[in-house]
């Protein structure tokens, strides 16, 4: 396949591109490098520096001819989205509409879209399947839901087939160490722990230890980013072959608490990670993990690298190399 990976210089995008290249596909990355990194562009791929708000540039790039688009270009900080909804409306929603319209203009029929477990909001039950009510707690989650709905209309009206992938907590790094760009100013748990283990941050703040969970800290479903990448390829093949849109959760189906993750990092890295317990973070749920049965049934996909040890080891290898130069 000839695939245009929009946001392909970012954390998830670079892993998706790596996996596509490994499987022999042609990859062009389109990225504005606002959070993506030039070092995440692989030698085997084409790179276009461009913004999804620049319709002309998007359409000109798409005119080169692609079988599919993978769209991962979005802001993803839930807290920030509540303070700056305009930024999320513009980039996440209008930017996605630009992508869909440019696809219509250039005749590209298949798109794989990065959605999120944030569309569900407060869990009514676990594991969360795709039928769980969708009531986002933050504007970021709403932007993902809105795009899902627009994609569904573009399927009906324009015949664009979409694979909507609702990620749970993406984590880990390429186990072969080929992705070396670390996220800038990370907010997510594992990179924050890693920066603390490397001495970049003084301590980890655990957002609440009085949740009704097994140890009081928040429980999440961490899914290895290369497992996510595999699912993108399977999903593109699915919509291409079946000429049918698809919506699936992607998770490991296992819940890990903040304290369990911290203990795993200490065990694997041998480093001290100072921490303090602080107030709960607004908008956080106690516990959520996925049912990925549908992805298994439709795509034959299952998480294979998403054990805690593989996630922590692969992330630590990236941080140790890039920050400690070990
Ligand atoms: C959320 C979204 C996810 C989105 C991701 C991107 C939901 C359900 N999930 O994940 O879809 O793609 O953000 O950013 O909305 N924690 C700490 N200290 C920290 C950081 C995190 O204790 O410094 C805790 C959190 O309270 C939570 C867990 O670690 O219990 C994971 O947090 P985080 O990595 O930020 O991801 P989510 O908020 O679960």
């Amino acid at each position: 396949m000839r695939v245009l990976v929009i946001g392909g210089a970012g954390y998830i995008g670079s892993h998706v591109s790596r996996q596509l290249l490994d499987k022999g596909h042609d990859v062009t990355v389109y990225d504005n490098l606002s959070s993506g990194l030039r070092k995440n562009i692989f030698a085997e791929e084409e790179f276009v520096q461009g913004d999804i708000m620049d319709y002309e540039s998007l359409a000109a790039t798409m005119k080169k001819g692609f079988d599919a688009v993978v769209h991962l270009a979005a802001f993803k900080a839930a807290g920030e989205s509540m303070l700056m909804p305009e930024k999320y409306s513009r980039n996440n929603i209008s930017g996605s509409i630009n992508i869909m319209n440019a696809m219509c203009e250039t005749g590209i029929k298949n798109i794989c879209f990065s959605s999120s477990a944030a569309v569900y909001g407060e869990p009514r039950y676990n594991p969360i399947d795709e039928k769980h009510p969708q009531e986002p707690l933050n504007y970021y989650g709403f932007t993902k839901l809105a795009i899902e709905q627009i994609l569904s209309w573009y399927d009906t009206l324009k015949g664009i087939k979409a694979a909507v992938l609702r990620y749970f907590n993406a984590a880990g790094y390429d186990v072969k160490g080929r992705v070396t760009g670390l996220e800038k100013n990370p907010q997510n748990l594992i990179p924050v722990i890693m920066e603390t283990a490397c001495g970049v941050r003084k301590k980890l703040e655990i957002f609440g230890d009085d949740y009704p969970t097994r140890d009081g800290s928040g429980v999440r479903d961490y899914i290895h980013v290369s497992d996510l990448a595999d699912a993108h390829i399977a999903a593109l093949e699915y919509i291409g072959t079946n000429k049918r849109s698809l919506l699936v959760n992607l998770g490991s189906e296992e819940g890990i608490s903040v304290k369990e993750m911290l203990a795993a990092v200490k065990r694997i890295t041998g480093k001290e990670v100072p921490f303090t317990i602080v107030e709960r973070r607004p908008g956080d749920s106690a516990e959520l993990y996925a049912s990925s049965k549908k992805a298994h049934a439709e795509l034959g996909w299952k998480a294979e690298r998403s054990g805690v040890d593989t996630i922590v080891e692969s992330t630590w290898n990236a941080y140790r190399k890039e920050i400690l130069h070990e």
Side-chain angles (χ1 to χ4, degrees):
M1 284 183 283
R2 294 191 67 193
V3 185
L4 180 63
V5 183
I6 304 178
Y11 166 58
I12 301 177
S14 55
H15 284 88
V16 170
S17 300
R18 187 60 263 165
Q19 221 80 339
L20 282 163
L21 293 167
D22 286 354
K23 294 234 160 82
H25 299 291
D26 270 3
V27 176
T28 297
V29 166
Y30 185 94
D31 199 301
N32 67 0
L33 300 181
S34 70
S35 54
L37 299 163
R38 201 169 276 279
K39 69 192 295 199
N40 281 344
I41 309 291
F42 300 105
E44 310 95 295
E45 62 199 16
E46 297 276 319
F47 174 55
V48 177
Q49 185 165 355
D51 201 294
I52 58 175
M53 298 314 295
D54 183 347
Y55 181 84
E56 297 309 322
S57 161
L58 257 182
T61 305
M62 288 188 191
K63 276 192 188 117
K64 294 178 188 165
F66 293 95
D67 301 303
V69 166
V70 178
H71 170 26
L72 312 107
F75 294 123
K76 60 159 191 168
E80 182 191 59
S81 76
M82 299 296 277
L83 302 171
M84 300 184 193
E86 306 92 325
K87 174 175 171 181
Y88 283 72
S89 301
R90 202 177 302 120
N91 185 78
N92 290 17
I93 300 179
S94 303
S96 295
I97 293 172
N98 280 342
I99 291 173
M100 289 178 231
N101 287 350
M103 288 174 67
C104 293
E105 187 186 327
T106 57
I108 303 174
K109 290 287 181 202
N110 300 307
I111 180 168
C112 186
F113 172 64
S114 305
S115 188
S116 167
V119 300
Y120 295 117
E122 186 61 29
R124 303 265 187 99
Y125 56 84
N126 276 299
I128 294 177
D129 58 20
E130 293 80 358
K131 296 199 180 84
H132 186 286
Q134 288 120 53
E135 299 160 331
L137 287 172
N138 50 61
Y139 192 67
Y140 158 74
F142 167 75
T143 66
K144 293 290 176 183
L145 191 57
I147 301 154
E148 287 188 6
Q149 291 170 353
I150 300 170
L151 280 168
S152 168
W153 277 103
Y154 273 60
D155 178 0
T156 308
L157 303 175
K158 302 294 295 189
I160 289 184
K161 301 301 164 198
V164 171
L165 307 180
R166 289 180 177 159
Y167 310 152
F168 281 64
N169 291 58
Y173 271 77
D174 178 54
V175 292
K176 294 187 181 155
R178 295 168 298 174
V179 175
T180 56
L182 304 180
E183 282 188 281
K184 301 174 208 162
N185 305 316
Q187 311 279 323
N188 293 108
L189 178 67
I190 298 177
V192 168
I193 298 181
M194 291 294 162
E195 287 194 351
T196 312
C198 291
V200 174
R201 290 180 195 240
K202 284 209 172 62
K203 58 188 168 192
L204 163 74
E205 290 184 336
I206 296 183
F207 299 142
D209 73 343
D210 57 353
Y211 282 107
T213 58
R214 52 184 175 264
D215 61 17
S217 65
V219 170
R220 296 289 182 275
D221 179 328
Y222 296 90
I223 171 86
H224 194 285
V225 66
S226 300
D227 282 337
L228 286 182
D230 285 345
H232 287 70
I233 299 172
L236 285 177
E237 285 166 355
Y238 176 100
I239 57 173
T241 307
N242 298 301
K243 314 273 182 253
R244 197 164 60 226
S245 290
L246 171 82
L247 184 156
V248 290
N249 281 344
L250 297 176
S252 70
E253 307 191 300
E254 202 191 334
I256 306 289
S257 77
V258 173
K259 288 182 180 170
E260 288 163 351
M261 191 59 84
L262 181 58
V265 173
K266 284 186 184 169
R267 172 169 55 79
I268 289 167
T269 65
K271 299 278 183 192
E272 270 313 303
V273 182
F275 69 92
T276 157
I277 311 287
V278 300
E279 289 293 291
R280 292 181 179 190
R281 184 172 63 178
D284 269 357
S285 309
E287 174 158 3
L288 62 113
Y289 52 94
S291 163
S292 266
K293 285 197 176 54
K294 191 174 172 201
H296 185 51
E298 302 279 354
L299 302 175
W301 173 89
K302 246 184 150 166
E304 283 170 1
R305 313 166 182 83
S306 296
V308 179
D309 286 18
T310 306
I311 286 178
V312 171
E313 269 164 25
S314 60
T315 313
W316 178 237
N317 286 339
Y319 275 77
R320 183 163 58 180
K321 194 163 141 203
E322 294 303 309
I323 296 183
L324 301 180
H325 306 292
E326 285 179 0

